[in-house]
Amino acid sequence: MIEIADRHGIEVSSPRERSRRAGIVALAPEEPARLAAALANAGVVVTARGASVRIAPHAGTDAATFELLDDALRAFGNETFISA
């Protein structure tokens, strides 16, 4: 998940060492509420807490879930809005 966040330019605020982060990856995007909403809309379950968005992969997290996260982050910021 850290590699995916890095690839999309989203700051990671949790320790990068696996032994220091207890499995939770905390992201520190510029707009945490907007990112949390975009991920939720894409089907990725996260916890928004203040200035961070927390993602907790589990042993059963599969490649399709990582791909879902990657796709959602790729689309984040590229939304188009149509006004009447």
Side-chain angles (χ1 to χ4, degrees), residues 34 75 77-83:
R34 192 168 144 254
N78 294 321
E79 301 96 346
T80 57
F81 298 95
I82 299 171
S83 60

Side-chain angles (χ1 to χ4, degrees), residues 12-75:
V12 176
S13 59
S14 58
R16 290 181 174 267
E17 299 83 20
R18 199 176 287 225
S19 62
R20 295 187 55 219
R21 72 172 173 272
I24 295 172
V25 176
L27 306 177
E30 290 182 20
E31 298 177 87
R34 192 168 144 254
L35 177 60
L39 292 174
N41 288 339
V44 179
V45 178
V46 299
T47 301
R49 201 173 267 184
S52 69
V53 175
R54 296 166 42 133
I55 303 174
H58 298 278
T61 302
D62 59 11
T65 303
F66 287 109
E67 187 174 327
L68 181 66
L69 173 64
D70 195 29
D71 290 345
L73 291 179
R74 185 177 302 109

